[in-house]
Amino acid sequence: MRRRSSGSAAEEEGDNSASNADLRSACEGAGGRSNKNDDSISKKEPSAPQTTARQSNSHNTSHELDRRKSIDKRPSSARSRRPSSTNWKLVEPRNGQLENSRSTEHPIISVPAEGGITASKMPNSRQNAQRSRLRNPWSCSLLTLVTTALGLLALGTIIHSFSNRQLDTKGCRMSYMRPSFAKLSDFDTEHTRFASKYSVYLYREGMVDEDTKVKGVPVLFIPGNAGSYKQVRPIAAEGATYFHDVLKHDSAAIDAGARSLDFFTVDFNEDITAFHGQTMLDQAEYLNEAIAYILSLYHDPRRSERDPDLPDPTSVIILGHSMGGIVARTMLVMPNYQANSINTIITMSAPHARPPVSFDAEIVRTYKQINDYWRQAYSQKWANNNPLWHVTLISIAGGGLDTVVPSDYASLESLVPDTHGFTVFTSSVPSVWTSMDHQAILWCDQFRKVVVRSLYDVIDVNRPAQTKPRADRMRVFKKWYLTGMEGIAEKTLSQKEPTTLLTLEDDSHSFIPQGERLVLRKFGQSHKPSAHLVSIPPQGTPGGKKFTLLTDQKIDKPGESGKLEVLFCSVFPLHPGQSATLFSMNMDFSGDSSGSTRLACKNAASDVISLPASTRMTKKPFYLDEEEELHPFSYLQYDLEDILDHQFVAIVDKATDPTPGWVIAEFSDNVQSHRVRSLGLRRLLAFGMKIKLPPNRPMVAEVKIPALHSSLLAYTLDMGNQVCGEEAELFTPLLRQYISDPYESKYFVNVKRANINLHGVSPFMPPPLRHKNAQDGLSLQFWTDPTCNSSIKISLKVDIPGSFGKLYMRYRTVFAAFPLLVVTLVLRKQFRVYDETGIFMSFTESLDLCLRQSLPLVLVALTCLSISFAQASSAPPRAASSGFWPWRGNATEAQVDFTKNDLLVGSQDPFFWFMVPLIGLVCVGVCVMVNYATLALTHAFSYVYGWLTVKPAWLRNEDKRRAVSPAFAPSTPRRRLLTTAILLFLVSTVIPYQFAYLVACLVQIATCTRALRFAREARSNTNSNFYNYAHSILILMLWILPINLPILVVWVHNLAVHWLTPFASHHNVLSIMPFILLVETLTSGKMVPRVTSRLRHLTSLFFFFIAIYSAVYGVTYAYMLHYLVNLAAAWLVAIHSSTSTWSLAGLGSIFESETNDNSRKRGKTP
């Protein structure tokens, strides 16, 4: 009959025997190696008082006698063998040795005395002991269950909203190309140390330009994180095709300096730069050397076909995608940067403001170095002191469809002034009008056309820099990438000379009286060209007049033969013979009339703003490949100050036959067309906002809501029907939502309901380079048919379910840090209870206590802290004090703290105080699920481990009890010491410490697996304590693992491309030694000793500090979490070592132990 396990016996004996039974069961589980009496057992076990041990001895004498007899049946040699510290259960020497050691040693960390636990603590100790024995690690309290359910519900709501609500529509058309690449094999190790890892290619388009000699303007494409050099194909193909088909035959463009573009691209072997700062620096160093080599090609007659009369290029245009844009900016701060070799940078979906993740210390430092350099350069008062004075930087963001990099991070607002660059979203770019994902921004057909045309507009081969001056480049980029309605958009009308002489009859009926609106519903009704004059109001007109014109036709440039031309005219005095010499165009509408008026006019076509067509048939601002092409509306908008030099606006209908088309032109008051609604977020959240456009409204109406500037909220706009009378409507309502920092516009055609979301003020974003007193907020611009004499009702409300999805992209990196707050608070509670009672609770039990006590208090404190941070962030920066010494600073300069939004949840608005509790709730749910997933994993491994270690059935019960080895069969101390030394040596030379950390996690999983099996087979508090301890350490290590994995991926990738140069920053032995020592200690099955002195508060302080740091600084400095937990591991190793006596003789015995054990075994063999 099989004997009952000692664990079950201990459970039946009751609470009073908990201490003795636990120790005895542990000894029997280890093979029954202890023959000590009950007094020595009670002295050994610190978790129960002496009185309890004595009571258990008196009650269980006969039971213990049988157990001792079964133990003592072993040979005397086995009973007297000196136990090793590597045993599963710590076994002390005999009583005399124990007493001697206690009398002579004074350990740093004291063990509780026999009477150290007062009578008042005894009931709690018994209750905790009983609860710990009966508590299953899978069990979950009602509070934990409800909290986990709420957390997972919130997380599911966020993910569902992100995937299904407030989504931008995909509108990219496909691009096609015939690529070919020529590798620059001469760029070898003589030029760069990275020649064996990276390479440079020259792109050529098949059947268009297949000559590998350079002949135009050099453009260098830099791929992003894990990007391919082949990603240059769509843009480079469009560049070659556009020059071959259009510019090559345009003599004016050739004379202006246009030439073909030589696209060079870099093969980084799909390097991973988003996670690794050193890789980014290596790429920047290589690219500076590549630019020097590329420029040298144009000096070599064998490699160049350029006109010898043209100056040799001295700079290269840079196109950077994703992290390639950051590498482009890094090139300018590298020591090997050649001055003025870069003056134009266009980046696409590049995270300029902050690193995508902060898992690597080097990338955080590199970002800070780059951004500080750019900010300091543009803060210089004089251009001579600014090394970046001639550099223009354009950052283009994909918008809501980009789920790889948050488009908020593409902002240059904190880096570059408007004179040298800006940030724009693809949904704002004329004729593009769609959001794009991270890869589509490279191949989107309508967008690549804009990029190529803007490049051809800024190049000038007649200058050594190959580009126009900085101011001209900025003017070109604004024209191509901005809508034309921004504050920095420049009107060209005042810079032009009159090109058209317009002659009209004096008694013409084409004069529109002042204050009236011009409406043309059809062209060519008079069967001859005609002009309609709208007089310009004089300066000082009340209300602030603005001229607007909207048509569905293309507005002609001078010399074009379309239907419509718009001219701004002034009266031209008659001087015979002048008209032919001063004007290239002459429009005479006077007929045979003797009296006529001559007007000198400027063409307004260069200031035309394209708007997406909005009719009953249109659903989106763009059209796809299989859809019919949509021709955009043409819109003109001038403030009265821009056109005061003129007396009339002439709308010229050049059609000779009746043709469809319409024009609306008017002067409107800004008072009527512009409204500012200064309602707060709370009122909008509670009641929404309602607007009513009156029947006699202007064509364009604008509503600005300064309070709506956060990117964390989404809104829903509903617009009533536009009811027209007898005449058909000319167009359906068109809506433009926009913000000015950065330049983001979205268009909604034929609008009835619109989803409004924006990339405005975002978490963790640095403040602007120059402080602004007030946020412009969200603006809504409506174009409605003014001929429809009916009012339109508009309502705006917060879309709460849709707003949840906006948290995903902004706060997904929080899950690398914030859950550590929960885990470390749980560990802190476990150690506090263990040091007081000797019971190491399970993770779920400790979490339940934290949910009742510490965690809510910590979250409340962090919420108050976040409100304080938000109020401080929204306050204007203080002027720099000159201090005691007058030369220490300028008191008039305001110092901007660019790191003030880096802390906690990064919110700049106290309205979002609830983000800390919400994130805390989600993290609790995630931690519980990770805990159960780890439990499931270790249980599965435990069953497999148990199946693999099953012994043959023929073993008898008594022999089986002796033959089955303990669940822990650790290696000898010498072997563990050698393994640790070898691993640390490899870390210091070859492998990064992140690899050793992964190994430590795997070893810890194995330790937990064996601890679980032993805890199941020999149930006792001691075994449960160790399993709970090992499991909690594993949970802690698993939350640090994601911080280390990206660097490990970089290392493995470098091995795959045969790049074996180690990175100095990842071979610090001290960064991994405590983890290795702790894991190796746990493999021996050694439970951490209790600390009853005041030093126990140090353990609590360690974990509490890690918890607060992970919440406050974890998102911005996630790499520090590894080092902090590493320090905690070092402290735990110190606690483990406090019970060991280290000496030279002891170290020598480690290497002799295996020999002695073998000799004993040989000597005792019968």
Side-chain angles (χ1 to χ4, degrees), residues 655-681:
T656 56
D657 295 314
T659 54
W662 51 265
V663 179
I664 301 177
E666 66 179 8
F667 279 92
S668 59
D669 293 336
N670 286 332
V671 176
Q672 295 180 354
S673 60
H674 285 72
R675 302 181 187 179
V676 177
R677 300 295 296 268
S678 54
L679 76 166
L681 276 177

Side-chain angles (χ1 to χ4, degrees), residues 191 213-218 262 264 289-316 338-341 463-466:
H191 301 86
K213 290 186 177 181
V214 294
K215 57 177 71 69
V217 177
D262 293 326
F264 296 88
E289 293 161 344
I291 284 181
Y293 178 78
I294 289 171
L295 293 177
S296 69
L297 296 178
Y298 292 85
H299 301 278
D300 187 353
R302 298 170 300 173
R303 307 294 299 272
S304 174
E305 284 188 355
R306 278 171 62 96
D307 187 344
D309 296 332
L310 296 176
D312 291 327
T314 60
S315 68
V316 175
Q338 183 177 333
N340 298 323
S341 60
R463 295 167 50 89
Q466 303 297 292

